[in-house]
Amino acid sequence: MTKFHVGRFILAGVLTAVTALALVALDVRPAAAQAACESECTTGPTPIPTYSPSPSPSPSPTPSPSPSPNPYPSPSPSPSAPPGPTGADSSGNSIGGLANQRFNQMITNRVLGTVLLGVNEQINCSDCISAFGSAGSFSAGIHGRKELTNNLSLLAGIAYTQYNEGGYKITSAPIGAFALRYDFTDWGSSRPFFDVGTILTPWEKARYTRSYDTSLGPVSVTSSTNASNYAVYGRAGWMSRVSPRDEVAASIEVWQLWQRVSGYSDNAVAFNPFDASIADGTDRTSLVKIGGQWTHLFGSNIETNINGGWVQSFASHSGIVATVTGNGTVVPTMGNQGWFEYGGRLGFRVQKGWIVDLFANGTLGPQPVGNTIHGGVGLRINY
């Protein structure tokens, strides 16, 4: 009995050891072989699962940080705006046109003023007074002469005028003029004479037009302001009574003209991208005139006078200082130029001492003076 039990014990131990060895062998097989075996041996007996410790996971590599977004992203480009109109240069050049208008204004004011000083009448004649009206440039007034002594005479007149030329218009402009003439009558029929005088227009309404071109079309702006004109002159000449019906004279004149214009800005218009503002300013110019005249009596009832001369400006200056959008400050220059001035009168003696006059005065020359004519009719009374 004892042996049997010992033998059985030994056999059980051997079986136990074999089983343990088999289990150890199974446990140390690679995991890949295990998986292969499980997939291939689907018909065999299912092995007894045994516990094996899970392998420690290998550390996964730390991912590289992706760049953080820019906290100040660049703005998306906006669609480009359409380009604005061009024409700033043309707008700046138009200021030169204003300077030309103002130069013409000075000359026209002077031409109208000389009518009040008897420019269409003979140098020496009896006392007279004349009421007149003119067209071309509207003017209405009265002028005349009065002998103060045998040698000294006063010439004076006043008129209301309005005129326009080359883009500007003058209204509500009273003109006054007076001069003293010294005639050496005691020298005989051929003798010298001298004049000194002035022409005054203390206030007038002025409208100036400025025009320029842009890529979107032309622009024209008319603006209003106030102006005033002043002139002084001296004249030296020689006159001769060549016959009882004829008087001829030649002379040289020196003038100084000033024109004061108040500041203004462009009036509001629908389209004016390059607007301008004009400051207060004074234009000025000096003139020299060399001229002559002839007065003749036809029969006993018709008087005629023709006169003319060459005028040269010098030391001219524009008082314009303009601020123009797209150009800044613009100061135009006013060049010197020459032109011809003419005048004439046709008088009809309707009765003794009463004469109806038709007269005209004007200029011939390049711009800005240009070709102008101012004509009218008057009733003159000699006494």
Side-chain angles (χ1 to χ4, degrees), residues 98 101 167 207-212 219-223 264-269 271-272 274-276:
L98 291 180
Q101 293 176 30
R207 288 188 294 178
Y208 303 101
T209 298
R210 189 173 72 91
S211 300
Y212 65 95
V219 178
S220 182
V221 187
T222 299
S223 303
Y264 64 93
S265 297
D266 283 352
N267 284 341
V269 295
F271 181 68
N272 182 21
F274 304 105
D275 58 340

Side-chain angles (χ1 to χ4, degrees), residues 236-294:
W238 193 278
M239 59 87 62
S240 180
R241 289 283 184 141
V242 294
S243 76
R245 293 177 177 271
D246 296 280
E247 179 196 87
V248 295
S251 63
I252 182 169
E253 306 171 26
V254 178
W255 291 77
Q256 178 62 52
L257 281 62
W258 299 270
Q259 179 171 261
R260 180 71 176 173
V261 180
S262 299
Y264 64 93
S265 297
D266 283 352
N267 284 341
V269 295
F271 181 68
N272 182 21
F274 304 105
D275 58 340
S277 178
I278 314 297
D280 293 356
T282 300
D283 309 313
R284 63 176 183 269
T285 189
S286 301
L287 308 176
V288 172
K289 178 179 179 179
I290 300 175
Q293 65 178 66
W294 172 40

Side-chain angles (χ1 to χ4, degrees), residues 22-33:
L23 290 173
V24 169
L26 286 171
D27 189 54
V28 297
R29 288 176 67 184

Side-chain angles (χ1 to χ4, degrees), residues 106-241:
M106 282 193 291
I107 303 307
T108 300
N109 190 83
R110 171 185 158 274
V111 169
L112 296 176
T114 57
V115 174
L116 304 177
L117 299 174
V119 67
N120 298 317
E121 299 171 1
Q122 61 197 74
I123 299 299
N124 181 274
C125 66
S126 59
D127 295 346
C128 64
I129 187 169
S130 175
F132 70 95
S134 66
S137 59
F138 171 76
S139 182
I142 187 170
H143 70 94
R145 70 173 69 198
K146 174 64 179 177
E147 189 178 85
L148 302 178
T149 69
N150 290 335
N151 302 106
L152 185 65
S153 297
L154 171 67
L155 296 83
I158 188 170
Y160 174 88
T161 67
Q162 64 180 42
Y163 53 94
N164 59 278
E165 183 72 28
Y168 74 94
K169 185 173 184 178
I170 303 300
T171 59
S172 303
I175 297 181
F178 65 88
L180 292 172
R181 173 170 296 162
Y182 195 87
D183 181 5
F184 290 80
T185 56
D186 50 348
W187 282 38
S189 61
S190 183
R191 55 190 186 263
F193 67 94
F194 299 93
D195 293 353
V196 290
T198 184
I199 299 173
L200 308 171
T201 306
W203 186 81
E204 57 195 359
K205 291 182 179 180
R207 288 188 294 178
Y208 303 101
T209 298
R210 189 173 72 91
S211 300
Y212 65 95
D213 295 319
T214 73
S215 57
L216 300 182
V219 178
S220 182
V221 187
T222 299
S223 303
S224 301
T225 186
N226 299 323
S228 55
N229 288 80
Y230 306 95
V232 294
Y233 79 100
R235 180 186 188 193
W238 193 278
M239 59 87 62
S240 180
R241 289 283 184 141

